[in-house]
Amino acid sequence: FWAGLTLAAAISSQYSGVCFVFVPLFAHILSRPTVLTGLKSILKDKKIWISYLSCILVYLLLNPFIYLSSAEFISDIRDVLAGRGGGIDLVARGNAAIDTFKIFSVSYTPFFIILGIIALIWAAQSRNKKVSLVLCWILPYLLFIIITGALNSRHQILIAPGLFLIIAGLLQSIYRAIKNRIIRIIFMLSVMAAC
């Protein structure tokens, strides 16, 4: 219920919140022993149904204009999907992706960007379910802002918490792998200095 409520709140505050719509499904799949058993049990699990049902109901409660002014709502959705009437131009989207990464380089330090890329690669091959769930939150949103060319820092700031968690997980795994106490201290101090 709470997952659906927060999802509805995210979508209500801004349409970009729709990229989190699959997170409850990812959480369900990751909570099972294997991906296959998770996929097989999706339709049977009442929690999934409650999550999405509560999302729809809360979204309708938070946005009464959907049924009070349905024509305007449908028009807004069409504008969002069609890039405000201009259609989806792959070349323009490619340029928007490059611009998005340029903005990242202004918003964050080069060390943070490099560490973030390494952490995302590490997370993608990690078997840790908590790390995988955070990745299932970051990647759809990152893809969304690249496709839409959302260059404002208010869009990009939403990636930071998940990225911080994944970077912290990577640094923690490296720290644990180092056996020598002096090298551990040097590693810890160098990371602190670089940040």
Side-chain angles (χ1 to χ4, degrees):
F1 172 80
W2 288 110
L5 189 148
T6 52
L7 180 59
I11 299 169
S12 297
S13 62
Q14 196 163 2
Y15 290 140
S16 57
V18 79
C19 63
F20 301 125
V21 78
F22 295 111
V23 173
L25 288 178
F26 292 142
H28 170 82
I29 291 166
L30 292 169
S31 69
R32 298 300 181 263
T34 65
V35 172
L36 192 60
T37 56
L39 288 170
K40 284 180 179 177
S41 61
I42 283 174
L43 294 176
K44 296 176 185 175
D45 194 340
K46 291 177 184 175
K47 289 180 182 178
I48 293 290
W49 290 99
I50 290 170
S51 179
Y52 286 110
L53 186 62
S54 67
C55 175
I56 292 166
L57 292 174
V58 171
Y59 186 77
L60 290 172
L61 285 171
L62 292 175
N63 299 282
F65 70 93
I66 291 171
Y67 38 88
L68 295 176
S69 181
S70 57
E72 187 179 348
F73 172 73
I74 292 167
S75 174
D76 286 348
I77 294 295
R78 281 184 187 149
D79 287 347
V80 169
L81 293 176
R84 290 190 165 45
I88 295 176
D89 182 350
L90 293 178
V91 174
R93 292 301 178 233
N95 292 332
I98 292 165
D99 290 340
T100 301
F101 283 114
K102 282 181 185 173
I103 296 297
F104 270 120
S105 67
V106 172
S107 304
Y108 301 106
T109 64
F111 174 76
F112 182 81
I113 292 170
I114 291 166
L115 197 57
I117 292 167
I118 293 167
L120 286 173
I121 294 166
W122 168 79
Q125 58 83 39
S126 175
R127 294 181 183 273
N128 186 320
K129 290 186 177 183
K130 290 179 182 177
V131 170
S132 299
L133 185 59
V134 175
L135 194 65
C136 291
W137 162 36
I138 290 175
L139 289 182
Y141 191 76
L142 184 60
L143 186 66
F144 178 84
I145 66 170
I146 287 171
I147 289 171
T148 58
L151 304 179
N152 297 328
S153 56
R154 66 190 174 90
H155 295 122
Q156 296 182 10
I157 198 71
L158 294 175
I159 291 173
L163 209 51
F164 284 136
L165 287 171
I166 287 178
I167 289 171
L170 170 65
L171 293 176
Q172 188 178 40
S173 69
I174 294 170
Y175 182 80
R176 286 179 179 166
I178 300 169
K179 302 300 178 189
N180 188 308
R181 187 178 173 192
I182 294 169
I183 296 174
R184 271 187 170 189
I185 292 168
I186 292 168
F187 171 74
M188 191 170 59
L189 291 173
S190 62
V191 168
M192 289 168 64
C195 287

